[in-house]
Amino acid sequence: MRRAVANLPGNRTLAGFDHSVSSVPTHVINALGTLEWIRRAENLVVCGPPGTGKSFLAEALASEGIEAGMRVSWFNSESLAQTIATAKATDTLSSTLAKFRRLDLVIIDDLGILPIGENDSEALYRVVETCYETTSLIVTSNFGLASFDEILNPRSIAAALVDRLAHHAHLIETTGESIRLSQALSGKGVMPL
């Protein structure tokens, strides 16, 4: 039931995480897998090029949290903005934000992949501000924190968002070539015909 409510995009787990292709050290992944950082309401920001395992790691940690009985919810920036816009339109913003505070972990995946307008930036800020020091966030992005002012509008929102997001955060930067692309080029992305 918790898994269905979380709205995870797939069924990725830490057991299925391939440490041999990840630029994130195994000891870091193992430490994150203890979930102690979630119990302390700390955040995780994972930035790096496309295909370097950011979303896989986020979903695997979310799965661990669900298995541990935690309340988890998955969003991309578009679905998060839609949730906040609907709450504003139906005059339920306060109760919607209160639901975020009752979660243990909120994942915002692929921040900056699609253009983020002013309303979307405001929605993202509202959630980050609401979760600050009460609910853990995982944010994945192809952009580093220092570049968030390039993807969020206005820039004043970016500064305030980064300030709150990074304050109690573990920062990970993935590197390397796309794992998906290298698997595709080596014929490992599909079953042989």
Side-chain angles (χ1 to χ4, degrees):
M1 179 72 138
R2 284 189 305 271
R3 185 170 295 281
V5 170
N7 197 36
L8 300 184
N11 203 15
R12 298 177 181 128
T13 64
L14 283 182
F17 193 86
D18 187 350
H19 295 269
S20 68
V21 296
S22 175
S23 62
V24 182
T26 299
H27 74 276
V28 172
I29 294 169
N30 291 340
L32 291 169
T34 68
L35 309 178
E36 283 304 313
W37 59 281
I38 297 174
R39 292 180 184 93
R40 294 188 301 262
E42 296 170 349
N43 300 327
L44 174 63
V45 179
V46 188
C47 301
T52 54
K54 301 179 302 291
S55 297
F56 193 119
L57 179 59
E59 185 176 350
L61 291 169
S63 290
E64 290 292 311
I66 291 167
E67 292 302 315
M70 294 179 175
R71 296 160 308 215
V72 174
S73 197
W74 182 282
F75 297 90
N76 58 37
S77 56
E78 187 176 31
S79 64
L80 183 66
Q82 184 59 48
T83 298
I84 299 301
T86 300
K88 286 172 76 173
T90 58
D91 201 27
T92 59
L93 184 59
S94 294
S95 62
T96 298
L97 293 175
K99 289 177 186 175
F100 279 96
R101 281 191 293 275
R102 290 192 296 270
L103 293 169
D104 298 298
L105 177 63
V106 174
I107 301 94
I108 305 168
D109 189 38
D110 283 335
L111 184 64
I113 291 281
L114 297 174
I116 301 174
E118 192 169 329
N119 289 338
D120 296 354
S121 293
E122 178 193 334
L124 180 61
Y125 172 77
R126 284 182 184 271
V127 171
V128 169
E129 196 272 332
T130 294
C131 293
Y132 180 63
E133 295 187 327
T134 62
T135 301
S136 290
L137 295 165
I138 297 177
V139 175
T140 70
S141 180
N142 293 348
F143 296 86
L145 281 176
S147 299
F148 276 23
D149 64 345
E150 296 173 23
I151 60 174
L152 298 173
N153 182 24
R155 289 184 175 192
S156 60
I157 286 180
L161 183 144
V162 167
D163 184 60
R164 285 163 179 80
L165 180 62
H167 184 214
H168 302 294
H170 302 274
L171 308 174
I172 295 177
E173 185 174 347
T174 60
T175 58
E177 300 296 319
S178 169
I179 297 165
R180 289 185 292 262
L181 184 56
S182 66
Q183 287 176 345
L185 293 174
S186 67
K188 295 179 183 173
V190 295
M191 296 295 291
L193 297 174

